[in-house]
Amino acid sequence: MSESSTSLLSLSPVVPVVVVDSAEQGVSVARALVAGGVGVIELTLRTPAALDAIRAIAAEVPEITVGAGTVTTPARAAEAAAAGASFLVSPGLTPALLAGMEDTGLPFLPGTATVSEVLTVLEAGHTEMKFFPAEASGGVTYLGALPTVVPDARFCPTGGISLASAPSYLSLANVGCVGGSWLTPPDALAAGDWERITKLAAEAAALG
Ligand code: 3PG
């Protein structure tokens, strides 16, 4: 799938970044997000359950597009693709990681935080990327300064963004969506409070 035919940045104004402890939890979260009008989920590969959760969501919740986040090595990219991820997101990039994500044939968002990294991604033929950690790296002010020098680059800023700060990012012409974990707070996940997650998802979906 070439990037020209797929815009990951157009799937949803907010991409929920989710950490799960079990495949069952992942399925329940995915259903709660769909109920709130969010059709995409990024499962971070930070817990042992992440790959199983991707597999389960891909099989049991076809209404949602499930991707893998925190992809940090070519091997992790391949594992996520084999588990059924529809897209990949990395927090940063190396030449090997970029090549490993390309090898999967999936659309992906490589992580960038500097102009040199943005140029590296553009040089490899990709225009969509993650900007991480967004708030700590200069936030809206930094992203707003980029179009003059890298007009083709489009971003999904992630890291420290909230429902309150998301609109200022989304108002930038070079931002297609934002990522964030605020839709799936750890205490709501632990308590199985799916209604709360559906409510948070509905608020995020309304930003579109
Ligand atoms: C990520 O993996 O992209 C970040 O952990 C998400 O950042 P946030 O938790 O500050 O939203």
Side-chain angles (χ1 to χ4, degrees), residues 66-94:
V66 58
T70 322
V71 175
T72 52
T73 65
R76 293 305 263 167
E79 285 170 1
S86 290
F87 65 90
L88 307 173
V89 183
S90 69
L93 65 95
T94 69

Side-chain angles (χ1 to χ4, degrees), residues 17 42 44 46 70 89 91 130 132 158-161 179-182:
V17 176
E42 176 189 325
T44 67
R46 293 182 205 158
T70 322
V89 183
K130 174 170 173 166
F132 178 82
T158 307
I161 300 178
S181 63
W182 83 85

Side-chain angles (χ1 to χ4, degrees), residues 44-124:
T44 67
L45 302 184
R46 293 182 205 158
T47 54
L51 290 174
D52 279 344
I54 289 170
R55 216 172 275 119
I57 293 168
E60 296 175 39
V61 196
E63 309 94 311
I64 206 160
T65 302
V66 58
T70 322
V71 175
T72 52
T73 65
R76 293 305 263 167
E79 285 170 1
S86 290
F87 65 90
L88 307 173
V89 183
S90 69
L93 65 95
T94 69
L97 180 56
L98 207 51
M101 292 197 288
E102 282 171 348
D103 284 347
T104 65
L106 294 174
F108 62 89
L109 298 175
T112 60
T114 66
V115 174
S116 296
E117 288 159 358
V118 173
L119 289 173
T120 300
V121 173
L122 291 173
E123 209 169 86

Side-chain angles (χ1 to χ4, degrees), residues 6-200:
T6 308
S7 175
L8 288 176
L9 306 190
S10 305
L11 293 173
S12 168
V14 181
V15 176
V17 176
V18 183
V19 183
V20 294
D21 290 329
S22 70
E24 294 73 28
Q25 195 179 50
V27 168
S28 297
V29 173
R31 290 200 173 118
L33 291 170
V34 169
V38 171
V40 61
I41 182 170
E42 176 189 325
L43 259 294
T44 67
L45 302 184
R46 293 182 205 158
T47 54
L51 290 174
D52 279 344
I54 289 170
R55 216 172 275 119
I57 293 168
E60 296 175 39
V61 196
E63 309 94 311
I64 206 160
T65 302
V66 58
T70 322
V71 175
T72 52
T73 65
R76 293 305 263 167
E79 285 170 1
S86 290
F87 65 90
L88 307 173
V89 183
S90 69
L93 65 95
T94 69
L97 180 56
L98 207 51
M101 292 197 288
E102 282 171 348
D103 284 347
T104 65
L106 294 174
F108 62 89
L109 298 175
T112 60
T114 66
V115 174
S116 296
E117 288 159 358
V118 173
L119 289 173
T120 300
V121 173
L122 291 173
E123 209 169 86
H126 307 282
T127 55
E128 296 191 344
M129 55 203 90
K130 174 170 173 166
F131 176 62
F132 178 82
E135 282 289 290
S137 301
V140 169
T141 309
Y142 188 94
L143 280 168
L146 293 184
T148 47
V149 290
V150 281
D152 293 336
R154 296 187 72 235
F155 298 91
C156 175
T158 307
I161 300 178
S162 65
L163 180 69
S165 63
S168 56
Y169 283 95
L170 292 169
S171 70
L172 296 174
N174 59 349
V175 169
C177 63
V178 302
S181 63
W182 83 85
L183 285 73
T184 54
D187 58 333
L189 286 172
D193 190 350
W194 313 128
E195 276 181 29
R196 182 167 161 218
I197 289 173
T198 293
K199 188 169 170 289
L200 290 164

